[in-house]
Amino acid sequence: MSSARPRSPEPAESAYLGLLARGAPAEEYERPVLRARADGASAEELAMLDRDKMHALRVRAELEGRRRREAELSALFETAHDLAGLRDLDAVLHAIVQRARSLLGSEVAYLTLNDPAAGDTYMRVTDGSVSARFQQLRLGMGEGLGGLVAQTARPYVTENYFDDPRFQHTRDIDSGVRDEGLVAILGVPLMLGSGVIGVLFAADRRARVFERGQIALLGSFAAHAAVAIDTANLLGETRSALAELEAANKIIRDGSAMIERASDVHDRLAELVLRGGGVQDVAAAVGEVLQGTVRFFEAAAVPAEAVDRSREDGHAVLEGDDWVAAVSAGGELFGALVLEGHPSLDSVDQRTLERAAMVTSLLLLARRSAGEAEQRVRGELLDDLLDASDRDPRLLRERAARLHADLDAPNVVLSARVENPVPGSAEQETDERQRLWSAASHLAATRHGLAAARDGGTVLLLPLGSDGSAAETARQVAKQLGNAVSAPVTVGASAPVEAPGSRPGTVAGAYAESRRCLETLRLLGRAGQGAAAEDFGFLGLLLADSRDVGAFVHRTIGAVVDYDERRGTELVRTLDAYFGCGMSPVRTKDALHVHVNTVAQRLERIGRLLGPDWQTPSNTLEIQLALRLHGLASAVDR
């Protein structure tokens, strides 16, 4: 009896290939065996099917593992391209610390990282430090200011570290801080998620108050430092994964367009920041990359619910057909970047918009900090000119040159004060003075001058205008400051100060003159206007420090004197006789021994030279005083 011929396993093999092709679950791989057993297959056929099943399952497992590894590699490679420009973690951290020190104007900046194994935090990067002991410090959790920040995940600041009882002082920490000479210290946490990985510090060797904006700026740099550290770690993992999974490069290339777009926007934003671009430049660059319109809006112009959601989770959110990314730092909201009419956005493009919002917040904080620092420097230089007449002129000129102010050119000193017809609270008056100082500082910066808050108002030192008139400069400044603060501003100006850098003491005298002009305007009911001593006629002789009699005479009757000198006429003598005869033409002709028509003709000529209102009471008083002074000067010259 011949044995039965084994059935061909080819149909079962085809079935397993089909299962592999469609990615069937593992339980379906048992069905060909069950079907063969039901059809009465021999033991040999069943054993062959079992082997095929095992081979197919192993292939399936290998494919699943490869797909999983490829997915992981895609995520790692995507992160690497997001930080394509970061290659050296030490260089990145040094750059962050140096930038933080520069923008905060601190003498020292440093960064510590937590050591989970040792349970403490250690010094990682310093800038401006001179003490080797300080650079090797390690702080236990809760010890010192840095240990407290690392433990509580909250920023701490102290004006005087050694007198501050909030911190746990230890011998090692206090010795290191004392060796470095630090007094005022600000520390903010480096956060990754909800965990603290280190602390970023700014410190001075003198007592100092760190403002809210400076704390927010350092917090923003801390966020960048944390991202850089995390990015560097991911980059290392990515490089290792690339070495292990080089065979999967083809799959990675399929998504390269998306990654290149992210790298492109990173490079563009970096270039914009380096060349001093503004908020609108950032929005335009990101809009071009995302192929849409990106705008920056103040917080009030964006739906509050969308902005709040974006601030809460730190990501861009969809509002209708628009994507909204909050622009904030240190708890302060500046506004939002909005990608308009672009509801479909992949994860890489979302991160691009979020990164642009972070760069925008950093730009706004940096601009504010730099602007406030420049305003303080301008105020300090003007204070030195007013209070320290013995300062070295060379050093004063060097400081002025850094601010683009020219102390060798003619300048004018102006005193400005806000006029509030309805007295307000002390808080309101303080706010008005602050707004006036801010407006004056901006005006001084744009006109290459100086400004400082002083005596309940503001004092400015500005280059004299092209017309050479201190009075016209005062009127322009009163108008510009009034528009800026939305309230009347009275401005008194001094006479021009020639080269204040060469004679610093003259600035104080000019300031006193400008204040007298300001108070005179207010007493005359001319609050909200601008004027110099020359605007007050003979009263200006009392207000001005220079007592420039010649200038007063020239302003008042100079046209008549010049006419006599050019034509050889006797208009000045006629004018003097006219006032001496009680402004009577008949008596004047007798005094001069001329015909009355001659007197009339001369007076008509004088009127054309001095103006139609020359015989008003106020003008006649000034003209008679000028005639007396001119006569005295002529007698002295003879």
Side-chain angles (χ1 to χ4, degrees):
M1 182 178 178
S2 61
S3 60
R5 185 178 178 181
R7 298 183 182 180
S8 173
E10 291 179 359
E13 292 173 353
S14 298
Y16 285 128
L17 289 175
L19 292 173
L20 288 170
R22 64 185 178 85
E27 56 267 19
E28 291 191 25
Y29 285 72
E30 190 66 30
R31 291 179 182 175
V33 178
L34 296 175
R35 198 159 39 243
R37 186 176 289 116
D39 291 342
S42 66
E44 183 181 354
E45 290 175 329
L46 291 175
M48 185 181 299
L49 283 173
D50 277 333
R51 285 195 299 272
D52 291 343
K53 179 186 71 174
M54 297 306 297
H55 288 315
L57 287 173
R58 281 197 294 272
V59 171
R60 179 184 180 278
E62 180 66 23
L63 289 175
E64 286 293 324
R66 185 173 294 274
R67 279 195 291 268
R68 185 172 59 255
R69 291 164 70 192
E70 288 170 357
E72 294 172 353
L73 180 61
S74 294
L76 293 173
F77 200 78
E78 190 175 281
T79 303
H81 273 272
D82 281 346
L83 299 171
L86 307 183
R87 291 292 182 268
D88 185 347
L89 178 59
D90 284 339
V92 174
L93 295 182
H94 273 289
I96 290 173
V97 170
Q98 289 169 358
R99 185 77 174 186
R101 178 191 174 196
S102 173
L103 287 182
L104 266 69
S106 62
E107 296 175 281
V108 183
Y110 50 101
L111 182 149
T112 63
L113 291 180
N114 290 358
D115 185 346
D120 61 9
T121 184
Y122 64 97
M123 200 71 67
R124 181 69 165 79
V125 179
T126 65
D127 187 66
S129 171
V130 296
S131 167
R133 176 186 296 181
F134 180 77
Q135 295 166 12
Q136 298 170 4
L137 273 180
R138 297 186 74 96
L139 294 75
M141 290 299 178
E143 295 179 354
L145 184 146
L148 190 58
V149 173
Q151 183 182 55
T152 63
R154 295 175 56 191
Y156 277 87
V157 61
T158 178
E159 298 178 30
N160 192 320
Y161 175 79
F162 293 101
D163 294 337
D164 201 325
R166 293 177 298 166
F167 313 118
Q168 180 182 343
H169 293 268
T170 67
R171 179 183 301 174
D172 290 342
I173 297 175
D174 285 2
S175 297
V177 174
R178 188 176 287 106
D179 198 34
E180 187 62 50
L182 300 183
V183 177
I185 304 175
L186 164 63
V188 296
L190 277 68
M191 304 288 296
L192 274 182
S194 59
V196 180
I197 63 170
V199 182
L200 181 60
F201 300 83
D204 271 359
R205 297 185 176 94
R206 54 183 172 80
R208 171 182 177 179
V209 176
F210 287 96
E211 300 174 355
R212 181 182 301 175
Q214 295 172 321
I215 297 174
L217 180 60
L218 193 64
S220 180
F221 274 105
H224 279 266
V227 170
I229 293 169
D230 190 42
T231 300
N233 293 334
L234 291 176
L235 189 58
E237 295 175 9
T238 302
R239 288 170 177 165
S240 299
L242 285 172
E244 297 172 359
L245 302 173
E246 189 175 357
N249 279 339
K250 183 179 180 301
I251 300 174
I252 301 302
R253 291 193 193 101
D254 294 338
S256 62
M258 186 180 298
I259 297 171
E260 288 173 4
R261 192 164 68 252
S263 178
D264 177 59
V265 74
H266 177 274
D267 293 341
R268 291 192 184 198
L269 293 179
E271 182 184 358
L272 277 174
V273 172
L274 290 175
R275 64 181 174 87
V279 172
Q280 300 305 327
D281 297 321
V282 172
V286 175
E288 184 178 345
V289 172
L290 299 181
Q291 299 179 352
T293 301
V294 177
R295 303 181 191 275
F296 173 76
F297 291 97
E298 300 291 340
V302 185
E305 189 271 337
V307 175
D308 291 341
R309 282 193 291 131
S310 179
R311 289 183 70 189
E312 185 176 348
D313 61 15
H315 297 293
V317 298
L318 186 62
E319 178 69 17
D321 290 338
D322 301 335
W323 284 91
V324 177
V327 177
S328 62
E332 181 177 1
L333 178 64
F334 299 109
L337 284 183
V338 179
L339 174 61
E340 299 177 340
H342 208 310
S344 299
L345 207 62
D346 58 41
S347 58
V348 172
D349 287 344
Q350 287 184 40
R351 282 200 299 277
T352 296
L353 185 61
E354 292 159 8
R355 175 165 294 176
M358 180 181 292
V359 171
T360 300
S361 67
L362 182 59
L363 280 176
L364 292 172
L365 280 173
R367 293 281 173 85
R368 176 195 293 176
S369 180
E372 291 176 351
E374 181 176 334
Q375 289 178 357
R376 286 194 299 272
V377 172
R378 289 181 185 275
E380 290 168 359
L381 176 55
L382 183 51
D383 283 335
D384 286 345
L385 287 169
L386 290 168
D387 298 331
S389 58
D390 57 345
R391 290 295 178 105
D392 184 348
R394 180 181 60 82
L395 296 178
L396 291 174
R397 289 195 192 93
E398 290 178 357
R399 291 168 60 187
R402 288 194 289 270
L403 298 170
H404 306 290
D406 187 0
L407 295 185
D408 290 322
N411 281 257
V412 61
V413 178
L414 304 109
S415 295
R417 183 176 299 173
V418 177
E419 301 294 345
N420 191 345
V422 181
S425 63
E427 182 179 351
Q428 180 181 349
E429 293 178 357
T430 300
D431 179 65
E432 289 177 347
R433 288 196 294 269
Q434 177 65 32
R435 287 191 290 115
L436 177 62
W437 176 75
S438 296
S441 298
H442 177 72
L443 178 61
T446 56
R447 295 187 57 172
H448 306 295
L450 306 173
R454 202 172 186 90
D455 299 324
T458 299
V459 57
L460 300 94
L461 180 69
L462 298 180
L464 198 60
S466 57
D467 58 359
S469 170
E472 181 59 28
T473 301
R475 285 187 281 273
Q476 292 175 1
V477 170
K479 181 178 179 181
Q480 291 172 330
L481 293 182
N483 291 337
V485 302
S486 300
V489 175
T490 306
V491 176
S494 71
V497 181
E498 299 292 336
S502 300
R503 297 179 298 158
T506 59
V507 179
Y511 173 56
E513 179 181 334
S514 70
R515 290 197 65 197
R516 289 195 294 270
C517 289
L518 183 148
E519 294 301 332
T520 301
L521 282 170
R522 302 179 76 194
L523 289 172
L524 294 177
R526 295 171 57 186
Q529 300 180 23
E534 63 190 66
D535 290 317
F536 299 107
F538 74 90
L539 184 59
L541 292 176
L542 304 176
L543 298 175
D545 276 344
S546 59
R547 304 293 192 270
D548 192 350
V549 173
F552 169 72
V553 172
H554 181 74
R555 286 196 306 271
T556 308
I557 62 172
V560 177
V561 175
D562 292 344
Y563 189 88
D564 277 354
E565 291 177 353
R566 289 196 311 270
R567 303 292 182 91
T569 54
E570 295 185 336
L571 297 184
V572 172
R573 181 166 171 258
T574 301
L575 191 58
D576 191 32
Y578 178 65
F579 285 120
C581 294
M583 301 175 68
S584 168
V586 175
R587 289 201 296 271
T588 302
K589 63 98 175 172
D590 294 336
L592 296 175
H593 304 291
V594 297
H595 195 276
V596 69
N597 290 340
T598 301
V599 173
Q601 291 170 0
R602 291 180 180 179
L603 293 177
E604 182 181 356
R605 172 66 61 183
I606 290 170
R608 286 199 295 268
L609 293 172
L610 298 183
D613 59 347
W614 71 279
Q615 296 192 70
T616 60
S618 60
N619 285 338
T620 57
L621 177 61
E622 292 192 2
I623 293 171
Q624 291 179 71
L625 177 59
L627 287 170
R628 293 291 182 89
L629 294 173
H630 176 66
L632 289 173
S634 299
V636 171
D637 290 340
R638 288 197 297 270

